[in-house]
């Protein structure tokens, strides 16, 4: 069924990604591929895996951006350019355009928890949903000829044979910096909702009208490099030297 | 967007086929003429061939029938459903023309309307994608419709010149619709050039309030599905040249050839048929170029994440 749920889903499961914390290690990218190549649906194939033109289907990728404030090209002038690592996977949009364009009913949004999934047995691999997603969150598996996307690790989060701590998406469990959080964004009392409220969590490309469930926490304002440098002792400055160094300083001055 | 040959071929061939079928449905050609019988068969062949080539780019074509199920939300599904419904009156009309040398008004007109609706659905597949801003305009289905009708009249004009008796109306309509279609397309291009990008690297990352955002490192060194499917770029100067080629081959030459045939009042015969064939062939080449540009020039929002 490619009609979206008629009402807002009671649960909105999704991720909150902290851009202040992500160190760009790509651990979540690898653990996602590892988990999902053996989990839901067909394996995530790679093409030319050992060749020069390796490519493949991945459900989570980390981009890295440079953000330069006005006048920031000159170090210490008006804030500095900074690097922001930017993990991106399906945002499980409330108004998911990828779902409504699907001709077969393979793409759907679950009415219970809002997770957007592809039923691979119905998918004809037309690729229209990947065109409709403005975020590039869907990639065709060229071996199986079906569309792949983040399932929010549907086979982990409800898996009661797992310990509680493991019932989160693989990327969240793996992140060594704790930059990724999983929870119900429909519940204002959930940890993720509180985090979003406190840190000003934001939507990506709100102008596309997709109403993403996943939120991104902006990087915290940073002290400029020049401000930090002011506090450092400079090599020429010997004020405050004590004991042997004070004596040596005095002797050397006299020579 | 990547200009996939299968999709370009599909939209061009099926557009021509539906256009020709729509014109045949008006009953402007003599149903007893051999040329008209050929025209009916060609229209069905173009439509069928187009539909087949469209399944070539599918990952799992054996399940293509499932694409008929989601007509309530998906323009691609609607196109599939309409294509099948349209076949019924078209096959009926073709049968009447080929075997009975007859034209029936009601099935004819029904076929014409359904052909146009199907082409409209094709145009809406592209126009409905907000992620590709260039396509996201009512001008897109308008261009698809006008090009289909113009192409249909060009083909019908060819068959009229190959048939017997004087033909004026069909080639005149071909010229009128060629002008209308290329004028609409010029508007569409103008609209494309004046677009202010809806999404930017700043809105895509949400980092715009810190400063100007530019890509520092891609997630991977080589190409992936997204960059090869949506990262296609064509140099501006080439695009301008190709647009010129499309316009001349697809519009000016066929219209000019038809006009000269009309003005010289040439008798129907091998020479007239040859000139009309030239008009058809250049029109098709122009349309293929136009469709290639339609994809190659379109920028997808995801490229904001890939520095393109
Ligand atoms: S991020 Fe893309 S694939 Fe995921 S729900 Fe939104 S539009 Fe669909
Ligand atoms: S690729 Fe599959 S899931 Fe995507 S629109 Fe086509 S049929 Fe639907």
């Amino acid at each position: 069924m490619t009609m979206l749920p008629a009402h807002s889903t009671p649960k909105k499961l999704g991720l909150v990604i902290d851009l202040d914390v992500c160190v760009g290690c790509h651990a979540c990218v690898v653990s996602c591929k590892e988990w999902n190549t053996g989990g839901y649906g067909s394996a995530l194939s790679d093409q030319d895996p050992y060749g020069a033109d390796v490519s493949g289907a991945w459900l989570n990728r980390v981009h890295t951006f440079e953000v330069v404030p006005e006048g920031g090209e000159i170090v210490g002038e008006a804030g500095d350019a900074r690097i922001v690592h930017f993990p991106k996977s399906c945002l499980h949009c409330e108004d998911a355009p990828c779902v409504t364009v699907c001709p077969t009913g393979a793409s759907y949004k679950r009415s219970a928890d809002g997770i957007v999934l592809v039923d691979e047995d119905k998918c004809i691999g037309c690729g229209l949903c990947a065109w409709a997603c403005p975020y590039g969150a869907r990639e065709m598996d060229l071996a199986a000829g079906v569309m792949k996307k983040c399932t929010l690790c549907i086979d982990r989060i409800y898996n009661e044979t797992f310990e509680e701590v493991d019932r989160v998406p693989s990327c969240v469990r793996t992140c060594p910096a704790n930059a990724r959080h999983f929870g119900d964004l429909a519940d204002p009392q959930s940890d993720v909702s509180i985090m979003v409220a406190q840190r000003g969590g934001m939507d990506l490309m709100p102008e596309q009208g997709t109403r993403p469930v996943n939120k991104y926490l902006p990087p915290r304002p940073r002290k400029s490099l020049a401000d930090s440098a002011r506090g450092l002792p400079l090599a020429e400055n010997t004020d405050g030297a004590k004991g042997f160094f004070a004596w040596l300083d005095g002797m050397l001055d006299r020579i | 967007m990547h200009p996939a040959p299968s999709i370009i071929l599909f939209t061009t061939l099926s557009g021509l086929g539906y256009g020709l079928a729509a014109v045949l449905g008006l009953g402007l050609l003599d149903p007893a003429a051999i040329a008209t019988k050929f025209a009916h068969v060609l229209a069905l062949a173009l439509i069928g061939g187009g539909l087949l080539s469209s399944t070539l780019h599918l990952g799992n074509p054996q399940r293509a029938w499932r694409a008929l199920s989601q007509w309530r939300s998906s323009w691609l599904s609607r196109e599939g459903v309409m294509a099948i419904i349209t076949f019924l009156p078209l096959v009926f009309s073709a049968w009447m023309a080929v075997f009975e040398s007859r034209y029936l008004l009601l099935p004819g007109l029904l076929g014409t309307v359904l052909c146009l609706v199907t082409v409209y659905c094709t145009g809406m597949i592209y126009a409905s994608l907000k992620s590709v801003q260039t396509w996201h305009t009512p001008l897109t289905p308008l261009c698809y419709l006008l090009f289909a009708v113009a192409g249909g009249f060009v083909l019908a004009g060819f068959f009229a010149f190959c048939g017997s008796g004087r033909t004026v109306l069909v080639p005149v309509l071909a010229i009128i619709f060629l002008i209308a279609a290329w004028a609409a397309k010029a508007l569409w291009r103008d609209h494309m050039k004046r677009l202010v990008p809806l999404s930017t690297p700043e809105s895509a990352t949400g980092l715009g309030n810190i400063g100007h955002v530019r890509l520092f490192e891609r997630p991977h060194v080589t190409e992936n599905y997204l960059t090869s499917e949506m990262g296609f770029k064509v140099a501006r100067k080439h695009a301008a040249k190709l647009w010129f080629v499309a316009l001349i081959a697809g519009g000016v030459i066929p219209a000019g050839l038809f006009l000269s045939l009309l003005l010289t009042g040439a008798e129907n015969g091998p020479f007239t048929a040859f000139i009309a064939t030239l008009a058809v062939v250049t029109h098709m080449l122009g349309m293929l170029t136009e469709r290639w540009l339609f994809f190659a020039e379109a920028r997808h929002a995801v490229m904001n994440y890939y520095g393109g």
Side-chain angles (χ1 to χ4, degrees):
Chain A
M1 270 301 289
T2 57
M3 301 291 283
L4 289 165
H7 304 288
S8 196
T9 55
K11 273 186 170 187
K12 292 178 196 168
L13 297 185
L15 301 176
V16 168
I17 294 172
D18 193 340
L19 296 179
D20 196 59
V21 169
C22 175
V23 293
C25 68
H26 291 242
C28 57
V29 177
V30 177
S31 83
C32 166
K33 176 99 169 182
E34 161 76 39
W35 179 262
N36 285 295
T37 200
Y40 180 95
S42 61
L44 287 168
S45 72
D46 287 316
Q47 279 64 48
D48 194 15
Y50 303 105
D53 276 331
V54 52
S55 74
W58 297 71
L59 313 182
N60 175 37
R61 294 187 185 260
V62 177
H63 299 240
T64 300
F65 294 98
E66 181 188 46
V67 193
V68 188
E70 191 73 39
E73 294 84 357
I74 304 164
V75 174
E77 283 291 298
D80 309 297
R82 59 190 291 178
I83 294 293
V84 178
H85 303 290
F86 193 93
K88 182 166 62 63
S89 50
C90 172
L91 308 162
H92 298 279
C93 305
E94 288 191 64
D95 281 331
C98 56
V99 168
T100 50
V101 299
C102 175
T104 61
S107 277
Y108 63 106
K109 185 172 176 72
R110 304 195 340 158
S111 50
D113 53 17
I115 298 180
V116 174
L117 288 177
V118 174
D119 178 345
E120 293 180 8
D121 291 337
K122 288 189 184 157
C123 175
I124 55 174
C126 67
L128 190 58
C129 55
W131 285 9
C133 169
Y135 306 102
R138 292 177 166 238
E139 297 188 16
M140 184 88 77
D141 188 308
L142 295 180
V146 293
M147 195 52 75
K148 288 293 192 174
K149 68 177 293 303
C150 159
T151 67
L152 219 52
C153 285
I154 192 101
D155 45 358
R156 291 178 65 101
I157 56 177
Y158 293 114
N159 193 333
E160 293 189 352
T161 63
F162 280 15
E163 284 182 38
E164 184 80 42
V165 63
D166 285 325
R167 284 183 223 157
V168 293
S170 180
C171 56
V172 173
R173 188 75 181 95
T174 299
C175 178
N178 211 17
R180 307 181 67 114
H181 308 272
F182 164 74
D184 179 9
L185 286 134
D187 170 10
Q189 297 313 317
S190 69
D191 287 351
V192 281
S193 295
I194 291 171
M195 225 180 284
V196 167
Q198 284 176 349
R199 293 275 307 282
M202 57 196 182
D203 287 350
L204 304 184
M205 292 197 215
E207 68 279 2
Q208 292 280 345
T210 51
R211 297 201 296 141
V213 167
N214 286 11
K215 300 283 182 253
Y216 281 73
L217 305 181
R220 293 185 173 89
R222 197 174 68 173
K223 229 160 82 181
S224 86
L225 282 178
D227 281 349
S228 312
R230 212 161 285 151
L232 291 176
L234 294 175
E236 293 95 86
N237 191 348
T238 53
D239 290 352
K242 286 195 193 87
F244 172 72
F245 291 107
W247 173 80
L248 187 65
D249 182 41
M251 288 307 284
L252 288 173
D253 271 350
R254 245 170 273 154
I255 301 174
Chain B
M1 302 293 292
H2 171 66
S6 61
I7 306 186
I8 292 179
L9 214 60
F10 158 64
T11 63
T12 312
L13 292 186
S14 70
L16 277 172
Y18 282 119
L20 178 57
V23 173
L24 289 172
L26 299 176
L28 298 176
L29 297 187
D30 170 15
I34 296 288
T36 309
K37 300 181 196 286
F38 269 111
H40 276 282
V41 175
L42 179 73
L44 290 178
L46 282 173
I47 296 171
L51 288 178
L52 274 184
S53 81
S54 77
T55 59
L56 286 184
H57 84 284
L58 297 181
N60 280 289
Q62 77 283 6
R63 302 198 270 258
W65 59 272
R66 286 193 184 271
L68 303 176
S69 65
Q70 301 303 309
W71 49 270
R72 280 183 300 165
S73 72
S74 162
W75 282 103
L76 180 52
S77 185
R78 285 173 197 164
E79 184 202 40
V81 172
M82 287 311 301
I84 287 181
I85 295 178
T86 308
F87 253 107
L88 300 176
L90 292 192
V91 169
F92 181 76
S93 292
W95 181 278
M96 291 312 275
V98 172
F99 297 108
E100 317 257 331
S101 295
R102 281 173 66 196
Y103 164 75
L104 293 181
L105 183 69
L106 228 59
L109 287 185
L110 183 65
T112 301
V113 171
L114 290 177
C115 282
L116 296 181
V117 174
T118 310
V119 173
Y120 178 75
C121 291
T122 309
M124 281 309 291
I125 295 173
Y126 304 105
S128 66
L129 298 176
K130 201 170 181 182
S131 49
V132 186
Q133 208 182 346
T134 325
W135 295 347
H136 192 57
T137 155
L139 287 174
T140 300
L142 180 71
C143 288
Y144 270 80
L145 276 171
L146 285 174
F147 274 130
V149 175
F153 273 113
V154 169
L155 278 176
F158 162 78
F159 286 109
F161 280 123
C162 291
S164 47
R166 291 295 322 129
T167 16
V168 177
L169 184 59
V170 173
V172 164
L173 286 172
I175 294 170
I176 292 175
F177 275 104
L178 279 172
I179 295 173
W182 287 98
K185 189 68 197 187
L187 267 183
W188 185 91
R189 269 187 80 80
D190 190 49
H191 163 86
M192 172 182 84
K193 288 204 181 121
R194 282 187 291 107
L195 280 182
V196 179
L198 176 65
S199 297
T200 58
E202 284 75 24
S203 74
T205 57
L207 299 172
N209 56 353
I210 303 182
H212 176 69
V213 177
R214 67 179 172 220
L215 184 68
F216 183 71
E217 263 182 345
R218 279 186 169 202
H220 45 91
V221 185
T222 51
E223 299 296 313
N224 65 15
Y225 174 73
L226 297 172
T227 59
S228 48
E229 185 79 354
M230 289 160 231
F232 194 90
K233 263 201 257 178
V234 51
R236 243 167 221 268
K237 58 173 190 207
H238 294 319
K241 266 187 218 152
L242 285 171
W243 159 245
F244 188 68
V245 168
L247 178 64
I248 298 293
V252 177
I253 295 181
L257 290 176
F258 273 7
L259 193 64
S260 54
L261 282 182
L262 285 173
L263 291 182
T264 55
E267 285 291 310
N268 286 4
F271 178 71
T272 322
F274 172 71
I275 298 291
T277 311
L278 263 186
V280 169
V281 171
T282 54
H283 176 72
M284 273 187 77
L285 290 178
M287 285 315 297
L288 287 172
T289 316
E290 186 273 334
R291 283 298 136 84
W292 190 87
L293 274 179
F294 178 75
F295 290 94
E297 282 193 290
R299 181 179 182 273
H300 194 283
V302 73
M303 293 321 287
N304 288 310
Y305 294 108
Y306 281 91

